[in-house]
Amino acid sequence: MLPGDFTLLQVTPALDVGGVESLTVEMAAAVAKAGATSLVASSGGRLEPMLAGAELVRLPLARRDPVSIAANGVRLERLIRRRGVSLVHARSRASAYSAWWAARRARAPLVTSYHGVYAARTPLKRWYNRIMARGDLVIVNSAFTRDHVIAEHGIDQARIAVIPEGVDSAAFDPAAVSQERVWAARAAWGGSGPILLLAGRLTGWKGHALAIEAVALSGARDELQLVFLGAEIDRDLAAELSRQAEQAGVKLILARSVENMPAALAAADIVIAPSTEPESFGRVVAEAGAMAKVVVASSLGGPAETIVDGETGVLVPPGEAAALAAAIDRVLEMGGEARAAMGQAARRRISSLYSIERMCEATFAVYRRLARP
């Protein structure tokens, strides 16, 4: 529960599809459902219809220049005072500067969510990132992220709350996905062999090139269909990966992002997450587990906490194509019944430890701890 007359203001640049945006709308809906006032300051986007009882306050928070950040700070301060905001929750760096300034001016408590491990190759970038560690309490999505924040910014562990991201285990439920949708997804990708799915934006560290190299080494290379979901984001990298796959004799399907992620995961035989740099949490890994899919992931960051190696999935050393190929072959050789049993173990773990309900209640506890009357 939340205190009486509680008003939450979440501040985020936009509400388009993404992990931060999904968390924003999930929390907004949960606060409204609890009977409190739920405000989201944002420039808006595709997820607006999911706010479910929350109110969108449209502000140009996607702008990152200093003048806009200052102007947004003034707008947010006025909003906090006018609506009697009990607590401000900032979720992204540029808009967090506006939220921090406004909260301090209006004497409202501030929570920040450190959603990812931000690159910091220069002192200036480290300073810019530090705003996400300046909340009265800082929410992080894994023990890995907590340790990174402490090492990077030197803040007291007592100011950090580890709250893993939540997965909607009702939406991500194999029983909720019709066989027709599964067939439609597989038909869209083409081919008839086992499908190996890597879902995530095309970027060097997600392990797409490593996945192609691993499939080329796999004993099941001639049967496997390797699907990269989200291939529209970087066309140049997509073309480069296509050339690599063709030269290696790997059947690669470059697929666009989909609205129905549960169906896409249901259509896969194995989900892989071979990142070569740490994921702060790894939302797709958790969603695939909720769909009772065996995930083969690098033993880095959040996925190393989500997966129990050999029980709910398989962890492999990062950057090692031969180890990834061996793990894929081992999972295929398990057979359907053993894979299903491991997948069910993954679903039980995700439903128990990584549900939206658990995430929201833990976040409510942070809000109760800080909220002003």
Side-chain angles (χ1 to χ4, degrees), residues 29-52:
V31 169
K33 186 178 179 181
T37 301
S38 183
L39 308 175
V40 176
S42 169
S43 61
R46 293 165 60 189
L47 296 183
E48 287 181 38
M50 296 176 61
L51 285 174

Side-chain angles (χ1 to χ4, degrees), residues 89 111-115 137-150 155-166 280-281 301-302 305-306 353-355 358-366 369:
H89 189 160
V111 171
T112 53
S113 280
Y114 210 105
H115 289 290
L137 275 175
V138 180
I139 294 175
V140 298
N141 52 14
S142 65
F144 167 78
T145 309
R146 176 200 62 205
D147 295 344
H148 170 81
V149 170
I150 292 171
I155 73 171
D156 189 340
Q157 185 169 327
R159 286 180 48 223
I160 301 176
V162 179
I163 304 177
E165 295 178 19
S280 61
F281 177 68
E305 300 170 35
T306 309
L353 300 179
Y354 301 96
S355 68
R358 189 182 179 99
M359 176 191 73
C360 289
E361 184 48 48
T363 306
F364 282 7
V366 168
R369 180 174 163 186

Side-chain angles (χ1 to χ4, degrees), residues 15 60 87 91 115 183 196 206 212:
L15 291 176
L87 182 144
R91 293 186 176 274
H115 289 290
W183 289 336
L196 197 63
K206 286 281 188 179
I212 293 171

Side-chain angles (χ1 to χ4, degrees), residues 270-274 285 293-300 303-304 306-317 323-324 326-332 334 339 342 346:
I270 302 174
V271 176
I272 59 172
V285 171
K293 291 296 173 179
V294 174
V295 180
V296 178
S298 297
S299 56
L300 288 172
T306 309
I307 293 172
V308 179
D309 187 31
E311 295 181 22
T312 68
V314 179
L315 296 173
V316 296
L324 179 59
I328 291 167
D329 288 348
R330 191 162 67 250
V331 173
L332 287 172
M334 288 169 63
R339 268 201 312 276
M342 183 176 282

